[in-house]
Amino acid sequence: ITAATVAVTAVLRDGDAAFLVPPGDAAALAARLLELAAAPAQLVAAAAVARVRYDELFAVDRSGRRFVDLLQRLLLAPRRAT
């Protein structure tokens, strides 16, 4: 369970790999906690999706490859006159 901030919603969808509540909304957080306490299978399913999402986006080999690709693009990009 996390707050549905801009950064979080760019990566996660509610009910998929996470359970989102409005930032600062204690009542929504409490309701979501009660909902999930009554449905442990939802937590197990979300954990599986979260692991796949993590591997796709943040695993070291993938993150490293994206970083190297970015550096190569920057090094090969035409230089601007100053």
Side-chain angles (χ1 to χ4, degrees), residues 17 45-59 62:
V49 172
R51 181 61 200 203
V52 170
R53 176 87 31 82
Y54 170 82
D55 288 340
E56 290 172 349
L57 298 174
F58 304 112
R62 292 178 188 249

Side-chain angles (χ1 to χ4, degrees), residues 31-81:
R32 186 54 66 105
L33 285 167
L34 290 172
E35 172 189 327
L36 293 172
Q42 271 189 292
L43 294 172
V44 172
V49 172
R51 181 61 200 203
V52 170
R53 176 87 31 82
Y54 170 82
D55 288 340
E56 290 172 349
L57 298 174
F58 304 112
V60 172
D61 58 332
R62 292 178 188 249
S63 296
R65 182 73 247 159
R66 285 194 306 267
F67 184 67
V68 168
D69 291 345
L70 172 63
L71 289 177
Q72 288 176 338
R73 284 194 312 271
L74 292 172
L75 291 171
L76 297 174
R79 295 181 186 256
R80 297 181 191 172

